[in-house]
């Protein structure tokens, strides 16, 4: 639940929330008020962000209210003003005039948003925790439209323009339907791409090149390839789910599999057939045993709670769901731990096939969904390479904006190419950020190595100095053995028994309060005892440790500073400690040699440059040009059906027609509709364009089609 003045903005979801959400908010606030702190609860979820980044605000509202208040963010509108940006889409009104509709499409200052998000989350992927599961191999299966689909696409474009429902074979739109016209158009486009019989099973018939035929052929191919291993497949579609006694795509594909490809009917099942939990479990078990080879289902019924991955080799998406999390859930039925056939016989990979009809919304929708999921994953990992996120203009509650809809269905591939370019750019920017992070890490590590080496060299010099002094002072007997000329306070002579007894007394009774206490000497090196305190199980523990201090100030110990019970061994403690100096010197030299091996590698990383910078620049340039091209082609669509008096003020484009081409389809107006010919600036036609600046902030210029140089505004032209 959140309050907002944006009551007519798409992409917000239900601001009223639910009673359960309100109850949880009250419970959290009670905990937070009692403790006086944020973070009074723990949320557990694999999909904290399922669709839109506006969901982040609710997480912050629940878990970090004090931090939001500290930042001066007291409402959703205040949060949106910082991190989100509205765009304007165009639709036809009930009176057939173009009206504006706003949506939160762009999210800006994304790295700051990700940093805030990382403060309240501990995100771990399956890879992070070492879960052995197969890789996902995505395959885009493009399908040319059938003649019936081509004809219907033209009707859809005209319906989106005029609102004439009779073009689609239905009654005229009601007043409420008029307001949801683009949603209706989008829904028809989705049904059309799946199967024309979804629109009218009586009017339209089967076609050898429709999506059902292509899907059946692909399923049969995988069926034969993994027949010996009894490989299984999942088929997902949220449209046209199985209903007994009615025509539906599920049953149609099954019919083709049985009649055209000879697959036994009992090996093809629909999850909707399982009416009870017992039947559902039996169906899942049949998949794992290989008795059921193909299982159809929707995201809601088959996307969660199904562990039937043991023999899964392929996942087929007849349509694309609305939310990235739903697509993840679908793929997760096969890309899952415990997939034995994929691991042993498919190079530990699962093929994920996305069926996309050309001149439909399929490819565009999938790419937008893929981009959104990529951004969400990068945000969760706090590894974003971009400051701006474009969530697209398409959702399940309002469809998509008119201009982009017409452009796609008219055969304009520019929007699809834009989505693909943005995905490539995002991946490269993330890679560049990782490279920069690697250089910073290498620089830090190299600095640490050099500091460590320098410190070790100083210690080595001090050790060598103490060893030289000790060797210059030590006395030996006739056999060359070092004499233990130890002197201890309170002990006359060097009798080992007396020395050992005195040391045992110090070990038991000394209390130095964590400071050195001098008790004797050996060859001019001071012998000290130190009382060290520690707490264990609510009890304070004390322990006395003994050291001999070199001229360099280094404390040497034997047996970790503990005194042996045997008097002879106890008296030899400090001589044995000094005897360790050569080994200590060797250790520090060895440590230096080990870390020195990394220095050339780190220096090489620091001197290296990211080799894909030119590629990234080219892609960004290509995207900029494509953005401009899209604006030039969409602007006439947006402006093309306004009233005559409005047309007099508009910058005009090319003659009105929908022209599919290999590169773009430009939709504009007939000269007769405009009332005036286009102005000519140096033999070039002027268009209104809105190229994007950083963080999604549009700047408005007028461009010449030939030179793209800014042109002065003149009377009769407006932006």
């Amino acid at each position: 639940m959140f309050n907002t003045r944006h009551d007519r903005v798409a992409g917000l979801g239900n601001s009223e929330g639910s009673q359960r959400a309100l109850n949880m908010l009250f419970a959290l606030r009670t905990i937070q008020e009692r403790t006086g702190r944020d973070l009074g609860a723990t949320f557990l979820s694999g999909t904290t962000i399922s669709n839109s980044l506006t969901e982040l605000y609710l997480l912050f509202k629940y878990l970090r209210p004090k931090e939001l208040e500290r930042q001066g963010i007291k409402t959703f509108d205040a949060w949106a003003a910082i991190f989100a940006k509205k765009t304007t889409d165009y639709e036809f009104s009930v009176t057939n005039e173009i009206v504006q509709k706003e949506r939160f499409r762009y999210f800006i200052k994304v790295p700051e948003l990700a940093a805030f998000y990382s403060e309240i989350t501990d995100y771990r992927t399956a890879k992070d925790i070492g879960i052995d599961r197969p890789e996902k191999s995505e395959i885009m299966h493009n399908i040319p439209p059938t003649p019936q689909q081509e004809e219907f696409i033209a009707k859809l474009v005209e319906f989106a323009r005029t609102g004439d429902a009779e073009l689609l074979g239905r009654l005229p739109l009601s007043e409420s339907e008029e307001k949801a016209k683009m949603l209706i158009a989008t829904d028809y486009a989705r049904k059309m791409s799946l199967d024309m019989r979804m629109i009218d099973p009586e009017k339209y018939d089967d076609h050898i090149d429709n999506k059902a035929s292509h899907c059946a052929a692909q399923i049969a191919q995988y069926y034969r390839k993994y027949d010996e291993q009894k490989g299984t497949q999942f088929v997902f579609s949220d449209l046209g789910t199985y209903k007994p006694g009615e025509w539906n795509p599920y049953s149609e594909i099954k019919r083709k599999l049985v009649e055209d490809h000879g697959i036994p009917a009992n090996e093809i099942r629909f999850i909707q057939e399982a009416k009870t939990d017992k039947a559902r479990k039996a169906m899942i078990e049949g998949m794992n045993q290989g008795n059921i080879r193909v299982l159809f289902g929707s995201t809601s019924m088959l996307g969660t709670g199904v562990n039937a991955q043991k023999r899964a080799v392929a996942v087929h998406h007849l349509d694309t769901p609305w939310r990235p999390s739903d697509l993840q859930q679908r793929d997760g039925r096969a890309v899952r731990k415990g997939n034995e056939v994929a691991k042993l016989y498919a190079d530990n990979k699962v093929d994920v096939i996305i069926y996309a009809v050309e001149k439909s919304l399929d490819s565009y929708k999938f790419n937008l969904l893929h981009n959104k999921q990529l951004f969400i994953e990068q945000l969760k990992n706090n590894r974003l390479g971009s400051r701006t996120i474009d969530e697209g203009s398409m959702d399940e509650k309002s469809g998509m904006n008119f201009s982009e809809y017409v452009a796609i269905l008219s055969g304009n591939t520019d929007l699809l190419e834009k989505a693909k370019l943005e995905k490539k750019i995002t991946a490269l920017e993330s890679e560049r950020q990782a490279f920069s992070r690697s250089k910073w890490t290498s620089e830090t590590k190299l600095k640490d190595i050099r500091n460590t080496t320098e410190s070790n060299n100083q210690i080595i010099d001090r050790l060598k100095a103490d060893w030289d002094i000790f060797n210059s002072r030590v006395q030996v007997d006739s056999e060359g053995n070092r004499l233990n000329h130890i002197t201890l306070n309170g002990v006359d002579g060097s009798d080992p028994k007396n020395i050992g007894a005195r040391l045992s007394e110090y070990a038991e009774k000394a209390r130095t309060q964590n400071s050195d206490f001098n008790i004797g000497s050996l060859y001019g090196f001071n012998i000290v005892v130190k009382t060290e305190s520690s707490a264990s199980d609510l009890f304070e523990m004390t322990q006395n440790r003994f050291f001999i201090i070199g001229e360099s100030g280094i404390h040497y110990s034997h047996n970790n500073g503990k005194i042996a019970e045997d008097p002879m061994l106890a008296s030899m403690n400090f001589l044995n400690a000094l005897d360790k100096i050569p080994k200590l010197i060797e250790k520090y030299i060895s440590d230096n040699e080990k870390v020195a091996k990394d220095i050339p590698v780190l220096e090489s990383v620091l001197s290296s440059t990211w080799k894909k910078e030119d590629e990234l620049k080219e892609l960004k340039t290509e995207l900029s040009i494509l953005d401009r091209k899209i604006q030039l082609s969409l602007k006439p669509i947006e402006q093309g059906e306004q009233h005559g008096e409005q047309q007099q003020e508009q910058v005009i484009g090319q003659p009105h027609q929908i022209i599919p081409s290999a590169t773009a389809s430009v939709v504009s107006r007939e000269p007769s509709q405009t009332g005036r010919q286009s102005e000519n600036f140096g033999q070039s036609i002027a268009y209104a364009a809105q190229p994007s600046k950083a963080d999604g902030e549009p700047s408005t210029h007028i461009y010449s089609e030939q030179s793209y140089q800014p042109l002065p505004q003149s009377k009769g032209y407006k932006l």
Side-chain angles (χ1 to χ4, degrees):
M1 169 179 176
F2 58 93
N3 296 320
T4 177
R5 63 180 175 84
H6 303 291
D7 59 341
R8 299 181 63 86
V9 178
L12 284 186
N14 181 16
S15 62
E16 298 297 324
S18 64
Q19 187 61 48
R20 292 173 64 188
L22 187 61
N23 292 342
M24 184 170 68
L25 180 63
F26 287 153
L28 282 174
R29 288 295 183 267
T30 302
I31 296 172
Q32 290 160 349
E33 287 173 4
R34 288 176 179 177
T35 61
R37 300 176 59 211
D38 286 347
L39 306 174
T42 300
F43 289 1
L44 301 176
S45 175
T47 52
T48 51
I49 309 170
S50 62
N51 186 39
S52 173
L53 292 185
T54 54
E55 300 167 29
L56 285 175
Y57 171 73
L58 295 179
L59 284 179
F60 299 146
K61 180 178 178 180
Y62 280 129
L63 299 177
R64 298 302 304 275
K66 290 186 178 296
E67 179 60 22
L68 285 177
E69 187 175 353
R70 187 191 68 79
Q71 296 182 23
I73 302 173
K74 298 182 179 180
T75 63
F76 170 79
D77 293 355
W79 182 87
I82 299 172
F83 297 112
K85 185 170 183 64
K86 289 189 295 186
T87 60
T88 301
D89 296 335
Y90 296 87
E91 289 185 353
F92 285 99
S93 68
V94 179
T95 58
N96 205 34
E97 295 182 352
I98 291 180
V99 296
Q100 296 180 348
K101 183 182 72 174
E102 295 179 316
R103 75 166 52 243
F104 285 113
R105 176 168 177 173
Y106 293 97
F107 289 86
I108 58 179
K109 300 178 183 176
V110 176
E112 290 82 358
L113 191 63
F116 192 10
Y117 176 80
S118 65
E119 291 181 7
I120 61 171
T121 58
D122 184 18
Y123 179 69
R124 295 289 185 272
T125 64
K127 187 178 181 180
D128 293 334
I129 59 179
I131 293 179
D132 182 18
R133 69 178 187 181
E135 297 179 12
K136 178 174 65 176
S137 176
E138 283 183 348
I139 302 169
M140 183 67 74
H141 187 86
N142 292 307
I143 305 170
T146 65
Q148 289 181 340
Q149 286 175 325
E150 289 269 19
E151 183 182 350
F152 194 77
I153 286 170
K155 293 180 180 179
L156 279 176
V157 173
E158 186 65 16
F159 166 75
R161 186 183 68 84
T162 64
D164 184 4
E166 295 180 359
L167 291 167
L168 308 180
R170 56 177 291 166
L171 296 173
L173 299 180
S174 65
E175 185 175 346
S176 61
E177 288 176 331
E178 282 281 0
K179 296 178 181 178
K181 181 176 65 178
M182 289 312 303
L183 176 61
I184 295 172
T186 303
D187 185 58
Y188 267 96
R190 292 174 66 223
K191 290 179 178 178
M192 177 271 299
S193 71
L194 180 59
D195 200 294
M196 290 298 298
R197 287 166 288 183
M198 287 286 297
I199 297 169
D200 191 336
E202 303 293 333
K203 183 177 181 180
Y204 299 104
D205 52 21
D206 190 20
H207 193 278
I208 194 171
D209 211 25
N210 61 15
K211 191 177 284 189
S213 299
H214 278 260
C215 182
Q218 288 294 312
I219 293 172
Q221 183 178 336
Y222 283 96
Y223 182 94
R224 306 277 185 242
K225 184 177 181 180
Y226 297 99
D227 194 22
E228 186 176 345
Q229 295 82 26
K230 292 186 176 181
T232 59
Q233 303 174 66
F234 294 95
V235 185
F236 285 97
S237 179
D238 293 336
L239 287 173
T241 56
Y242 170 72
K243 293 179 182 178
E246 296 183 14
W247 186 95
N248 58 85
Y250 284 30
S251 300
E252 178 65 7
I253 296 174
K254 179 177 181 177
R255 181 187 68 79
K256 290 177 179 289
L257 288 172
V258 174
E259 296 179 3
D260 300 343
H261 301 281
I263 297 176
N266 64 302
E267 295 184 1
I268 307 168
R269 300 292 300 275
F270 312 128
I271 194 67
Q272 290 84 358
E273 294 177 297
K275 302 297 184 182
T276 64
D277 287 341
K278 185 178 179 180
R280 183 181 174 91
K281 290 179 180 178
M283 193 174 290
I284 293 171
E285 182 61 26
M287 280 282 286
N288 284 325
Q289 292 178 356
N291 299 325
I292 299 174
R293 299 286 299 280
V294 182
L295 183 60
F296 288 75
S298 61
T299 305
S300 59
M301 293 195 68
L302 189 59
T304 58
V306 175
N307 292 311
Q309 70 276 10
K310 188 175 180 180
R311 301 176 183 271
V313 294
V315 177
H316 304 264
H317 296 294
L318 291 174
D319 66 352
T320 305
W322 288 107
R323 302 186 301 176
S325 58
D326 290 341
L327 192 64
Q328 274 192 314
Q329 293 289 358
R330 284 183 177 189
D331 296 340
R333 295 318 94 203
V335 184
R336 197 173 186 90
K337 183 181 180 182
N339 191 330
E340 297 177 2
V341 171
K343 185 174 183 178
L344 297 174
Y345 303 99
D347 197 26
N348 207 25
K349 292 182 180 179
V350 172
D351 287 345
V352 176
I353 302 98
I354 300 98
Y355 297 88
V357 175
E358 298 171 4
K359 293 187 181 182
S360 76
L361 306 181
D362 288 339
S363 296
Y364 182 62
K365 184 180 178 183
F366 175 76
N367 274 276
L368 286 180
L369 202 69
H370 198 284
N371 284 356
K372 188 182 290 188
Q373 181 59 41
L374 178 63
F375 280 123
I376 289 174
E377 289 298 318
Q378 289 182 336
L379 185 136
K380 288 180 177 179
N381 288 292
N382 197 13
R383 295 179 179 176
L384 285 155
S386 178
R387 294 194 58 79
T388 305
I389 294 176
D390 181 2
E391 288 201 335
S393 67
M394 194 176 184
D395 64 49
E396 58 186 314
K397 292 186 177 181
S398 59
M400 67 184 299
N401 73 57
F402 170 78
S403 56
E404 293 190 6
Y405 180 86
V406 174
I408 293 170
L409 294 190
S410 301
N412 188 345
T413 60
D414 290 341
L415 291 168
L416 179 59
E417 289 302 315
K418 179 177 181 287
K420 292 179 179 179
L421 276 175
E422 287 174 339
K423 182 169 70 175
K424 290 180 181 178
I425 289 171
T426 301
L428 284 176
E429 285 180 334
S430 182
E431 185 181 326
R432 181 176 62 180
Q433 189 179 49
F435 177 81
S436 300
R437 190 182 298 109
S438 174
K439 289 191 71 171
W440 179 84
T441 303
S442 298
E443 184 179 5
T444 304
K445 190 175 181 180
L446 183 61
K447 186 177 179 180
D448 290 341
I449 288 175
R450 286 170 174 167
N451 290 337
T452 301
T453 302
E454 184 179 353
S455 176
N456 286 350
N457 287 333
Q458 291 176 1
I459 293 173
I460 291 170
D461 291 340
R462 293 165 65 188
L463 290 170
K464 288 181 177 179
D466 285 343
W467 183 244
D468 291 339
I469 293 171
F470 172 64
N471 283 326
S472 68
R473 296 175 181 176
V474 70
Q475 298 179 16
V476 299
D477 59 17
S478 57
E479 296 180 358
N481 298 315
R482 294 187 178 94
L483 299 175
N484 188 22
H485 288 323
I486 182 174
T487 58
L488 213 58
N489 298 341
V491 179
D492 296 330
S494 58
D495 183 24
K497 291 184 179 180
N498 295 335
I499 296 292
R502 184 62 172 166
L503 289 172
S504 296
E505 185 179 351
Y506 278 123
E508 184 179 351
K509 299 180 179 180
R511 295 294 182 268
T512 72
Q513 299 181 342
N514 285 319
S515 60
D516 294 339
F517 182 74
N518 194 296
I519 60 174
S521 64
L522 175 65
Y523 292 118
F525 296 147
N526 290 331
I527 297 172
V528 299
V529 60
K530 183 178 181 181
T531 304
E532 297 179 347
S533 302
S534 62
S536 178
D537 297 330
L538 302 178
F539 294 98
E540 187 176 2
M541 308 290 291
T542 59
Q543 182 184 30
N544 287 319
R545 298 178 64 198
F546 295 83
F547 304 92
I548 182 168
I549 305 176
E551 295 286 341
S552 66
I554 295 177
H555 289 49
Y556 303 99
S557 67
H558 176 71
N559 194 30
N560 201 27
K562 298 178 182 178
I563 294 297
E565 294 181 0
D566 182 80
M568 181 61 71
L569 294 176
S571 67
M572 295 292 293
N573 183 285
F574 307 102
L575 191 63
N576 290 334
L578 293 173
D579 281 337
K580 289 184 176 180
I581 292 178
K583 291 185 177 180
L584 289 173
I585 294 172
E586 291 178 6
K587 176 186 176 301
Y588 281 101
I589 291 175
S590 177
D591 289 346
N592 280 352
E593 290 174 350
K594 287 180 181 178
V595 297
K597 294 179 181 178
D598 295 333
I599 292 178
V601 178
L602 295 173
E603 288 177 340
S604 175
V605 171
L606 287 176
S607 63
S608 64
T609 57
W610 192 55
K611 298 180 180 179
K612 297 183 181 179
E613 190 67 49
D614 291 340
E615 181 183 351
L616 179 59
K617 288 180 179 178
E618 289 177 3
L619 288 175
K620 286 185 174 181
T621 301
E622 188 176 346
L623 180 62
S624 177
I625 295 172
L626 192 59
D627 270 334
R628 187 185 306 158
K629 182 179 178 183
I630 289 171
Q631 290 292 337
L632 294 175
S633 65
L634 295 187
K635 213 57 173 172
I637 298 174
E638 298 166 356
Q639 301 172 346
E641 299 299 323
Q642 298 189 50
H643 291 290
E645 61 268 21
Q646 295 173 317
Q647 294 170 352
Q648 296 293 328
E649 299 180 328
Q650 301 297 318
V651 179
I652 63 174
Q654 300 178 12
H656 180 74
Q657 52 183 332
I658 298 172
I659 309 173
S661 70
T663 56
S665 110
V666 178
V667 183
S668 52
R669 296 188 294 261
E670 294 286 343
S672 60
Q673 295 176 302
T674 66
R676 61 183 288 178
Q677 296 294 325
S678 58
E679 300 277 352
N680 192 309
F681 298 95
Q683 304 301 316
S684 63
I685 302 174
Y687 295 87
Q690 294 182 326
S692 297
K693 296 195 301 182
D695 292 342
E697 299 177 6
S699 64
T700 304
H701 298 83
I702 296 182
Y703 291 98
S704 163
E705 193 177 43
Q706 289 182 350
S707 61
Y708 297 106
Q709 297 297 317
L711 300 172
Q713 294 191 46
S714 60
K715 186 176 179 181
Y717 294 82
K718 77 173 185 179
L719 301 173

